[in-house]
Amino acid sequence: MLTQTLALCLDAYRELNARKLFWITMGLNIMVVVVYASLGINERGVTFWHWTFDVPLFNANLISPELFYKLQFVSWGSGLWLTWVAVILALVSTAGLIPDLISGGVIETVLSKPIGRVRLLLTKYVFGLMFVVLQVFVFSLGCFLVMLIRGDTFVPELFLAVPIVVSFFSFLFCVCVLLGLITRSTVAALLLTFLFWFVIFMVNLGDQIMVQQREQAIVALEDAERNLENQITLADRFIERREEEGRTIEDADGNAITGPDEQRVAMNPALERSRQRVPEAEQAVETWNTWSQRVFWLKTLLPKTGETTGLLERWLISQEDINKLFEERTGVNPGDDDNDGPAMNDPRVSRRVTEVFRSRSLAWVLGTSFAFEFVILGIATLIFVRRDF
């Protein structure tokens, strides 16, 4: 059994090695690492080779070299290159593994040998993942050495990119394998996988919008409640001043007003409008919270591609670093809930949205995603085992 498995692995390796995109992607990885190494930071701003670009809010006086390279790695190293460009190239390279296997004349030759179908399919699947493992490891190793040499810091956490990006890729690759079995076409499997990826992207976008709207409504409610308290306090001060002067509070007809609440409204007409804003804000919170929960449960059924790649940022960059950058760029203390600006432009909303996504549990992000992958692979295995080729 071990000899057969090794033979399958060797065959899969030769197949991947023969694909030009494997070596093209590897070369592109090295080029991106060179670009990463060419970046730096000094007291004036960001450097690229021997050029310096003055950036007042992004220099060595505010950001350490370690944090600078971590930010670059997370923002475009993994956020753009590894999880978009490299994954697309990997899907293009590996999409044909299963359709090519079940094409006429190939599968019959393989199945004529005493090899279990489950082991055959899973071996092909695992070696499809190995394509990404090698690519991400080379990229992470290069960035690790850059941080060690240029940033003078030891950050082994960079290698977390390997399991994270491979997991991200596997959520898409399992769908590609299933579609390849059903359609027997590399092009169809690839296009349908990209369509599925687009659906996940739209659901993620909807989730971000719903969470942002909910947090914005919560901020608006807090501001409305705070404003109501201030208006009540202001009205009480007016009433106290009238009482000290020995004057009564009268309505437009000259009748004395005795009720405490009526006196407040008479002394401060803005109080009534402040009271109306509170239930309006509460209704908005309830509405956006309902929609946010609906999208959240929909996401639970799908792989969490965005949150999975976000784990790398969560583990590389601490919340304290984010709060510091937030304060330096906005001038607002992240712990300060007082802000006189409108909620839609309130930097507190952005900070709270970030905290919401960073607080989502690992069990939900990876557990439900791997459950989805297990189900899809189970269906693919069942089809592969029972189909008469």
Side-chain angles (χ1 to χ4, degrees):
M1 179 180 294
L2 180 61
T3 302
Q4 294 171 349
T5 303
L6 290 176
L8 288 173
C9 293
L10 181 60
D11 179 67
Y13 168 76
R14 287 172 177 171
E15 187 174 354
L16 285 177
N17 187 49
R19 298 173 185 265
K20 294 181 179 180
L21 266 179
F22 176 84
W23 296 107
I24 292 175
T25 307
M26 186 68 73
L28 290 174
N29 271 310
I30 296 174
M31 289 178 59
V32 175
V33 171
V34 171
V35 173
Y36 183 77
S38 65
L39 295 173
I41 191 170
N42 57 26
E43 291 75 12
R44 291 174 52 193
V46 178
T47 64
F48 182 77
W49 296 111
H50 63 278
W51 295 286
T52 298
F53 303 91
D54 295 336
V55 184
L57 297 179
F58 209 73
N59 54 60
N61 297 321
L62 302 175
I63 300 175
S64 65
E66 176 183 357
L67 181 57
F68 170 78
Y69 283 109
K70 283 183 178 180
L71 287 172
Q72 301 310 308
F73 185 85
V74 168
S75 61
W76 61 269
S78 65
L80 178 61
W81 170 250
L82 289 181
T83 57
W84 283 98
V85 181
V87 166
I88 290 174
L89 292 175
L91 283 172
V92 172
S93 298
T94 58
L97 285 177
I98 300 303
D100 291 347
L101 174 66
I102 62 178
S103 61
V106 177
I107 187 66
E108 292 85 352
T109 303
V110 177
L111 293 181
S112 65
K113 302 175 183 178
I115 299 174
R117 291 195 177 194
V118 174
R119 183 152 53 97
L120 174 60
L121 178 65
L122 294 182
T123 300
K124 289 286 185 178
Y125 181 76
V126 170
F127 255 79
L129 299 181
M130 288 302 297
F131 179 97
V132 181
V133 171
L134 293 173
Q135 302 290 344
V136 179
F137 178 78
V138 168
F139 181 81
S140 300
L141 177 62
C143 293
F144 171 79
L145 294 176
V146 169
M147 289 193 65
L148 185 64
I149 298 172
R150 296 211 59 189
D152 194 24
T153 181
F154 183 75
V155 187
E157 293 85 359
L158 285 184
F159 291 102
L160 289 172
V162 178
I164 288 175
V165 176
V166 172
S167 298
F168 168 81
F169 174 76
S170 70
F171 303 150
L172 300 174
F173 186 51
C174 68
V175 175
C176 189
V177 168
L178 176 61
L179 294 173
L181 276 172
I182 295 174
T183 63
R184 299 193 180 203
S185 168
T186 299
V187 175
L190 192 60
L191 291 178
L192 290 174
T193 301
F194 285 146
L195 178 61
F196 175 73
W197 192 1
F198 177 75
V199 171
I200 295 176
F201 172 79
M202 294 304 296
V203 173
N204 286 336
L205 180 61
D207 182 38
Q208 293 176 358
I209 293 174
M210 293 301 109
V211 170
Q212 183 175 6
Q213 292 294 331
R214 184 191 65 192
E215 296 304 315
Q216 181 174 306
I218 292 174
V219 168
L221 174 60
E222 293 173 352
D223 289 344
E225 292 174 339
R226 188 180 301 112
N227 180 262
L228 177 59
E229 293 176 359
N230 293 337
Q231 295 297 336
I232 291 175
T233 301
L234 183 61
D236 288 340
R237 290 177 181 174
F238 289 152
I239 294 173
E240 290 176 2
R241 187 177 302 171
R242 281 292 187 98
E243 291 176 349
E244 291 174 357
E245 295 174 353
R247 300 164 57 192
T248 60
I249 302 175
E250 301 174 347
D251 59 17
D253 298 328
N255 300 319
I257 301 176
T258 57
D261 193 59
E262 290 78 3
Q263 288 181 341
R264 287 172 177 158
V265 174
M267 296 304 299
N268 185 8
L271 177 60
E272 191 64 28
R273 180 54 188 158
S274 296
R275 283 178 174 163
Q276 294 174 359
R277 288 196 183 104
V278 172
E280 293 173 358
E282 290 174 342
Q283 181 61 41
V285 170
E286 182 179 353
T287 299
W288 289 115
N289 186 61
T290 300
W291 280 103
S292 178
Q293 286 296 322
R294 289 173 180 173
V295 176
F296 179 83
W297 287 115
L298 175 61
K299 284 192 67 172
T300 302
L301 302 176
L302 298 172
K304 319 304 174 296
T305 54
E307 280 85 352
T308 299
T309 55
L311 292 174
L312 188 60
E313 177 184 350
R314 189 191 301 188
W315 291 333
L316 279 180
I317 304 175
S318 66
Q319 186 64 47
E320 291 75 16
D321 290 332
I322 291 179
N323 290 340
K324 180 181 178 182
L325 290 173
F326 178 87
E327 183 176 1
E328 289 171 349
R329 293 186 177 185
T330 64
V332 178
N333 188 335
D336 186 5
D337 286 333
D338 294 329
N339 193 304
D340 296 330
M344 64 181 299
N345 297 323
D346 195 334
R348 293 174 297 172
V349 175
S350 176
R351 185 253 304 176
R352 293 189 183 194
V353 170
T354 300
E355 291 177 352
V356 167
F357 284 102
R358 289 175 69 96
S359 65
R360 290 180 173 176
S361 68
L362 190 63
W364 181 79
V365 173
L366 292 181
T368 57
S369 298
F370 283 123
F372 171 87
E373 182 177 0
F374 179 80
V375 171
I376 297 299
L377 272 182
I379 296 173
T381 302
L382 185 63
I383 294 174
F384 188 73
V385 168
R386 306 186 72 174
R387 175 174 288 180
D388 185 16
F389 292 102

